[in-house]
Amino acid sequence: MLRATLLLACLLATLPARAQTALDPALLARVRALAETAARAAAPAGTRVVVEVGTLDARLRLAPCQQVQPYLPPGLAMWGKTRIGLRCMEGTARWNVTVPVRVAVFGRAVVAAGPLPAGVNLSQELLAAADIDIAAEPGAVFTDPAQLLGRVLARPVAAAEAVRAPSLKSRQWFAAGETVQVHAVGEGFSVAAEAQALSAGLEGQEVRVRFESGRVASGRAVGERRVELTL
C-alpha cells in the first residue's frame, strides 16, 4: 500500500501544474483600466465604455512570474472583441501571452424602426434612435437620421439594429463623361480645376479623370461632381 502511494506521488509530481486561467484581482484591474483608457480615447463623446476581461487559454503552462506587465498589442483596437497582451518582466522564464477582452461602447445611434429589406429607400418613419453597443459590430453608426434620408440599403437590417455604413449602397456622385471639379491637395497647398470623368464616380472609390491638357490622373469621388486628388 505504501509503495503504491509513493508511486502515485511520483507520478503526480511529474505532471504539469494546472494552468491559471483566471487573472488575480490586481492584474485584472490593471488590464481593465488599460483597455478602458484606450477605448475612451477612441470612443465618441457622451458614450459609456464597459470592459469584460476573459480568461487565459487553459492549455497554457506559464512559469511563475513576480511582475506581469499588461500592454496594448500593436495593430489591435480596443473595440468589440479584442485582446490585451501580458508579458512576464521578472520570473524564472520570460513569457508573452494575450488575454481576450470585450469592449462595449454604449451610445445613441440611428436604428431601424422595424425590419427593413435590402433595396429600401430610407425615410424618417423607417428610422428611430436608441442606446446601443456601437462596438458590437464593424462599421460606423449614424447619430443624425438626416444623414440617412434617401440612402438605399445594400442588405436587410433587423428591427432595432443600427444602420451602419456597410449596410448602405454606395452613392454615385457622377457619371462617366461628366465634367467634375478636381481638388488637388498637397502639403501646404490646394488647387482646383475642371476635368472629365472617365468612369462613374462611386462614393469613396477611385476614379480616373482627364484634364483639358490631356493629362489623366486618378482621384477619389468625394461628393456631387467632386474628385479629390492627393499629391
Side-chain angles (χ1 to χ4, degrees), residues 171-176 197 199-207 221-223 227:
R171 287 174 285 198
Q172 181 173 322
W173 292 121
F174 48 84
S199 59
L202 298 179
E203 182 178 17
Q205 295 187 17
E206 189 174 277
V207 61
V222 295
V227 174

Side-chain angles (χ1 to χ4, degrees), residues 122-140:
L122 295 175
S123 57
Q124 186 69 53
E125 61 270 17
L126 299 178
L127 304 170
D131 288 315
I132 63 164
D133 177 9
I134 63 177
E137 299 290 341

Side-chain angles (χ1 to χ4, degrees), residues 48-110:
R48 179 172 58 91
V49 174
V50 177
V51 174
E52 295 178 3
V53 183
T55 57
L56 293 170
D57 191 324
R59 296 167 295 181
L60 290 174
R61 297 294 182 266
L62 302 178
C65 186
Q66 287 72 53
Q67 183 185 352
V68 180
Q69 180 187 59
Y71 68 94
L72 299 175
L76 285 185
M78 288 300 104
W79 197 264
K81 291 182 179 179
T82 184
R83 304 187 78 83
I84 289 283
L86 299 174
R87 54 187 162 216
C88 179
M89 305 299 292
E90 183 182 338
T92 57
R94 297 295 177 92
W95 44 258
N96 194 334
V97 298
T98 59
V99 62
V101 296
R102 179 179 175 272
V103 179
V105 181
F106 294 97
R108 202 74 171 167
V110 179

Side-chain angles (χ1 to χ4, degrees), residues 4-26:
T5 302
L6 290 173
L7 180 59
L8 178 60
C10 290
L11 287 172
L12 290 174
T14 64
L15 294 176
R18 178 182 292 271
Q20 297 298 312
T21 57
L23 307 184
D24 69 67

Side-chain angles (χ1 to χ4, degrees), residues 181-185 190-193 211 222 225-230:
Q181 283 289 323
V182 180
H183 294 264
V185 181
S190 175
V191 179
F211 293 95
V222 295
R225 295 186 178 86
R226 288 179 55 227
V227 174
E228 188 175 89
L229 179 63
T230 303

